[in-house]
Amino acid sequence: MTAPDSSAVSCDLHRLAHDIKLWARELGFDQAGITDTDLRAEEPKLQAWLDAGYHGNMEYMARYGMLRARAHELQPGTLRVISVRMNYLPFEAGFAAVLRDPRLGYISRYALGRDYHKVLRNRLKQLGERIEQAVGAYGYRPFVDSAPILERPLAAKAGLGWVGKHTLLLNEQAGSFFFLGELLIDLPLPLDKPITNEQCGKCTACISICPTGAIVEPYVVDARRCISYLTIESEDPIPLELRRKLGNRIYGCDDCQLICPWNRYASSSTEPDFAPRTSLHRPALLTLWQWSETEFLRHTEGSPIRRIGYQRWRRNLAVALGNGPADAEVIAALQSALLAASTLVAEHIEWALGELQSRMEQENKKTLRLIRCIEKGLPDHA
């Protein structure tokens, strides 16, 4: 049997890599890149992060340990990782308007539409099948936050961008409002060049803007202080010292992305699945608080929000309501829910009521002082 010509094989692989990127575009991905599985340089940083306890109660982070940096061990036979990204920024997202209005609930922009895990994984599976049609049977496996993989360093090695000081991937043409996914394959495709230049420079805007100081140093996030962790990942009570800092953020936080200069170039997504749901777009906190568990499940069907469950949803809402205006209707709504509330939610309702009642007393005292000043003909500031 005559061995295949090495130059022809090489040419075929280059052609295949080119075609894969075209197919990825056709499937709705905004970019695709190819890299190997070597993340040895990331292992000391990952170990230091774990040793510092920055993963909080995300035990799976420690459980898998260095496997996160070894995709070839996770999926034996893996030679390459096809890393893809898909923009998710919705049209007219109205970030600032929601954050400025304490009566509204802020939901991280990625969670306003359909669960991205399902969208990306389905497209990656289709990409794998498309490759199979071209080359025959081969080994592949798609991942979208479904396995212990260091997806951002892999994406950076594949040329999709660089890891910013907030630890998110940044792209010169697209900012950071995009999802990442991976297709692990056993084909020796040619590698794309990583972006090696540091493009954050001296900018520390993301570090300065973080409401809870979670970015403890450039490229290091203490998850225990991160609002996304506190409102999504953590099942525990939100620490007392951080509750006021959450403001009206009820599911995730985008502050470090909103302030980033590179997001001036972020493009809106054309993917219909990522369009904001009406009930979640600029929602009134009091309206969300009045949802029953059945309504919560109905409004969050197919949404990533559903994964936190009704009790954590109520926990987050109680904190946001406690950070809002001292409104009699809000106080009454919280009080009426207290008796039937779970232990977790009740703790946060009581905190919120204490905050609102204290604020109302302060406002009443100010009003009383103003009335007395008017009666005595003194300046308002007396």
Side-chain angles (χ1 to χ4, degrees):
M1 183 175 179
T2 304
D5 181 71
S6 60
S7 62
V9 172
S10 175
C11 180
D12 287 344
L13 288 173
H14 278 86
R15 177 67 187 179
L16 178 60
H18 175 269
D19 289 344
I20 287 171
K21 292 169 188 175
L22 288 179
W23 298 334
R25 282 277 191 175
E26 291 172 4
L27 288 167
F29 295 112
D30 292 284
Q31 190 179 3
I34 301 168
T35 186
D36 58 28
T37 64
D38 184 6
L39 290 180
R40 284 174 291 180
E42 298 296 320
E43 292 190 14
K45 292 182 279 187
L46 173 58
Q47 191 61 59
W49 186 77
L50 291 170
D51 290 344
Y54 289 154
H55 57 298
N57 62 15
M58 294 184 288
E59 295 178 1
Y60 60 89
M61 291 281 191
R63 184 167 64 249
Y64 289 111
M66 294 307 106
L67 184 62
R68 301 181 69 82
R70 302 169 185 172
H72 54 282
E73 292 183 12
L74 177 68
Q75 180 69 17
T78 297
L79 297 177
R80 298 290 184 264
V81 178
I82 301 173
S83 180
V84 296
R85 67 174 185 84
M86 184 182 288
N87 296 337
Y88 67 78
L89 188 67
F91 288 98
E92 300 180 8
F95 300 103
V98 177
L99 282 173
R100 283 197 303 264
D101 190 339
R103 296 178 186 275
L104 303 180
Y106 187 87
I107 296 171
S108 186
R109 301 301 88 175
Y110 85 84
L112 289 177
R114 186 166 180 251
D115 191 340
Y116 70 95
H117 298 87
K118 299 175 183 178
V119 177
L120 267 70
R121 194 179 189 286
N122 181 51
R123 306 287 177 87
L124 281 169
K125 185 173 181 292
Q126 291 179 54
L127 180 59
E129 291 168 349
R130 188 80 174 268
I131 297 170
E132 192 168 43
Q133 291 172 8
V135 303
Y138 77 105
Y140 70 95
R141 188 176 176 187
F143 290 104
V144 183
D145 286 347
S146 54
I149 293 179
L150 292 179
E151 61 177 9
R152 293 163 192 166
L154 282 172
K157 282 196 70 177
L160 270 58
W162 71 95
V163 178
K165 293 177 182 178
H166 48 16
T167 74
L168 301 176
L169 195 76
L170 284 164
N171 180 281
E172 193 171 0
Q173 284 79 42
S176 62
F177 288 107
F178 48 77
F179 298 122
L180 294 174
E182 300 79 41
L183 187 68
L184 274 55
I185 63 172
D186 61 4
L187 301 174
L189 296 171
L191 305 177
D192 286 309
K193 292 182 179 179
I195 296 174
T196 56
N197 296 332
E198 165 56 63
Q199 299 196 58
C200 287
K202 297 180 180 180
C203 179
T204 57
C206 59
I207 298 174
S208 301
I209 199 67
C210 180
T212 56
I215 309 174
V216 293
E217 61 180 275
Y219 314 105
V220 179
V221 172
D222 182 348
R224 298 168 299 182
R225 299 187 64 84
C226 177
I227 292 177
S228 289
Y229 168 83
L230 295 170
T231 58
I232 301 172
E233 299 295 339
S234 177
E235 298 179 358
D236 299 330
I238 294 170
L240 276 169
E241 69 274 15
L242 298 179
R243 291 180 189 178
R244 290 180 180 176
K245 298 179 183 297
L246 266 63
N248 63 342
R249 299 168 185 84
I250 58 174
Y251 189 93
C253 177
D254 293 317
D255 286 37
C256 63
Q257 297 193 83
L258 295 175
I259 198 67
C260 179
W262 287 104
N263 273 322
R264 290 177 296 188
Y265 308 108
S267 301
S268 296
S269 173
T270 58
E271 176 55 54
D273 280 331
F274 299 150
R277 299 183 178 196
T278 303
S279 59
L280 298 175
H281 189 44
R282 303 182 187 181
L285 286 169
L286 192 54
T287 299
L288 299 180
W289 179 254
Q290 291 165 343
W291 282 359
S292 65
E293 185 167 8
T294 299
E295 289 174 306
F296 167 76
L297 293 173
R298 176 166 56 84
H299 286 295
T300 60
E301 185 176 0
S303 162
I305 296 174
R306 182 182 275 203
R307 67 184 285 251
I308 69 171
Y310 187 59
Q311 297 306 315
R312 278 190 275 170
W313 173 250
R314 298 278 280 178
R315 173 199 63 185
N316 299 346
L317 285 170
V319 172
L321 288 167
N323 287 327
D327 186 288
E329 186 179 4
V330 171
I331 291 175
L334 288 168
Q335 288 173 333
S336 66
L338 189 54
L339 187 61
S342 67
T343 303
L344 175 69
V345 177
E347 175 189 339
H348 294 79
I349 291 177
E350 290 170 349
W351 175 86
L353 286 170
E355 292 288 298
L356 293 171
Q357 288 163 353
S358 175
R359 207 171 301 134
M360 183 172 281
E361 289 173 6
Q362 292 173 4
E363 291 174 2
N364 288 339
K365 287 179 182 178
K366 287 181 181 179
T367 301
L368 186 58
R369 284 199 302 269
L370 178 59
I371 291 172
R372 288 174 178 171
C373 287
I374 293 173
E375 290 174 346
K376 294 180 180 180
L378 297 173
D380 293 353
H381 58 78

